[in-house]
Amino acid sequence: ESMRSKLLQMNALLEELLHEVENDNSTLVVVMGDHGMTSDGNHGGASDLEFESSLFLYSAGLNVQDFAQARVIPQIDFVPTMSFALGLPLPYGNLGKVIPA
């Protein structure tokens, strides 16, 4: 029950945030997890449910729809992709690569 309560709370927060930026062409909202979890709340293992995570992108000013197709991407590639998209240099020691659109 506490997980359901927290998910409802976070859903309301996200709805409020997206409402605030829905007409802002200069904002990119990025919501991601660092790991997944099983239906009973376990994480840190090697199952797909524990290992995989989600990524959500929203921008009123950018067309992220083509990029944000439902697909599996290596998490290590997220930082170089965001660096490239924001016109920033790749982090020193980066091991990932830019995700093609």
Side-chain angles (χ1 to χ4, degrees):
E1 182 59 34
S2 62
M3 179 62 79
R4 177 174 162 69
S5 175
K6 180 54 73 176
L7 290 173
L8 290 171
Q9 178 187 17
M10 296 311 297
N11 189 55
L13 176 74
L14 187 56
E15 283 184 25
E16 183 179 328
L17 174 65
L18 294 180
H19 178 72
E20 288 294 320
V21 301
E22 68 185 343
N23 296 315
D24 181 351
N25 291 336
S26 64
T27 299
L28 173 64
V29 176
V30 179
V31 179
M32 64 183 289
D34 63 344
H35 60 76
M37 62 186 348
T38 62
S39 59
D40 60 354
N42 288 321
H43 60 85
S47 73
D48 286 348
L49 288 176
E50 295 165 296
F51 188 72
E52 294 179 355
S53 185
S54 296
L55 169 66
F56 171 78
L57 303 172
Y58 173 82
S59 174
L62 297 172
N63 182 4
V64 295
Q65 187 173 5
D66 292 336
F67 172 77
Q69 303 165 20
R71 59 183 167 157
V72 175
I73 59 169
Q75 192 174 24
I76 194 170
D77 294 343
F78 179 74
V79 169
T81 301
M82 288 305 297
S83 296
F84 178 77
L86 296 171
L88 300 171
L90 293 179
Y92 177 78
N94 172 66
L95 299 175
K97 62 181 189 240
V98 174
I99 303 163

